Amino acid sequence: MKHDHFVVQSPSAPAKQLLLLFHGVGDNPVSMGQIGSWFAPLFPDALIVSVGGVEPCGPNGRQWFSVQGVTEENRQQRIDAIMPTFIDIVRHWQKESGVSPLATALIGFSQGTIMSLESTKAAPGLASRIIAFNGRFATLPISASTATTVHLIHGGDDRVIDLAHAVAAQEALIEAGGDVTLDIVDDLGHAIDDRSIQFALDHLRYTVPKHYFDEALSGGKPQDDDIIELL
């Protein structure tokens, strides 16, 4: 499948995890790939790919949908129009790597986070983890699955996408029965810093998905594919 991308890490052996990164408006996959380089040493068996938006934006940037004239009323429509392509790209890399959704993480910033979060509504279970830096839902979900663990990480002083959107997302996912955490990075604007990265790394390594607890309470046990989930 042809699309703009940058491979941050490709293990010599078959990949055991898949980490896909999605940048913000006007950025590019090479730049976002620098964020991916923080994950590579801790996940040496992961295929890590930074994916570019489908539309050009500015001299060297990309975007998933235009923000010109975007409103609360038309944002969802713009996302819905491009979402099938987003989902196809995720599934392309899952097929390319041989990694299932159970060991796939979507890592987004700003518009990349919007697309990642919205994918949980359009294709539940597309990935087992979402690291959502400084983003939001277009419209809050009314249903959710514990198949995907959502980690919201947001700057306390974000003036582009207000922290209130992350708080509302957490509340909506909890209300809908989803699996979600929220970390607020004090005095940080619309950006990713070393504190944000540390929150993300800690969640991928140490946070146990809620569905494991659900399975334990029901008397079930993880399947073979679950063993390679990002823990």
Side-chain angles (χ1 to χ4, degrees):
M1 183 178 186
K2 188 175 181 181
H3 56 271
D4 197 24
H5 67 275
F6 173 70
V7 177
V8 178
Q9 173 176 277
S10 180
S12 55
K16 294 182 179 179
Q17 298 101 15
L18 174 64
L19 277 61
L20 298 176
L21 296 102
F22 303 94
H23 60 74
V25 173
D27 203 354
N28 61 74
V30 173
S31 178
M32 187 67 182
Q34 297 175 18
I35 301 300
S37 67
W38 285 85
F39 294 84
L42 295 178
F43 298 97
D45 297 325
L47 173 62
I48 304 177
V49 181
S50 181
V51 178
V54 296
E55 301 177 357
C57 179
N60 299 303
R62 312 287 299 179
Q63 64 185 7
W64 286 96
F65 59 91
S66 174
V67 295
Q68 294 296 317
V70 71
T71 65
E72 291 297 314
E73 290 71 32
N74 65 24
R75 182 180 289 107
Q76 187 70 64
Q77 182 180 9
R78 296 185 185 192
I79 293 168
D80 291 346
I82 198 60
M83 182 56 69
T85 300
F86 180 89
I87 293 169
D88 284 348
I89 288 173
V90 173
R91 288 176 174 160
H92 163 81
W93 285 107
Q94 288 171 338
K95 182 177 180 180
E96 185 79 9
S97 64
V99 174
S100 77
L102 289 169
T104 299
L106 310 183
I107 303 169
F109 172 72
S110 193
Q111 192 179 82
T113 285
I114 293 174
M115 296 300 299
S116 299
L117 289 175
E118 286 289 322
S119 75
T120 65
K121 293 155 57 178
L126 181 67
S128 69
R129 302 274 186 144
I130 291 179
I131 299 292
F133 292 112
N134 292 64
R136 58 169 293 182
F137 282 101
T139 54
L140 293 173
I142 57 175
S143 63
S145 167
T146 58
T148 301
T149 303
V150 177
H151 305 292
L152 303 164
I153 303 169
H154 214 98
D157 290 340
D158 194 333
R159 299 291 182 263
V160 177
I161 299 179
D162 195 274
L163 172 62
H165 290 293
V167 174
Q170 181 191 36
E171 292 174 348
L173 286 170
I174 291 173
E175 178 69 21
D179 187 6
V180 59
T181 63
L182 169 60
D183 289 303
I184 300 169
V185 186
D186 294 335
D187 305 315
L188 179 67
H190 195 64
I192 299 173
D193 69 2
D194 56 347
R195 296 171 296 168
S196 307
I197 292 292
Q198 194 60 55
F199 279 132
L201 294 175
D202 288 347
H203 280 305
L204 285 179
R205 289 186 295 174
Y206 305 128
T207 301
V208 179
K210 183 177 180 295
H211 72 80
Y212 279 154
F213 293 105
D214 294 340
E215 289 164 357
L217 289 172
S218 68
K221 61 181 181 179
Q223 302 300 311
D224 290 342
D225 285 346
D226 293 334
I227 303 302
I228 61 172
E229 189 172 357
L230 299 165
L231 291 175

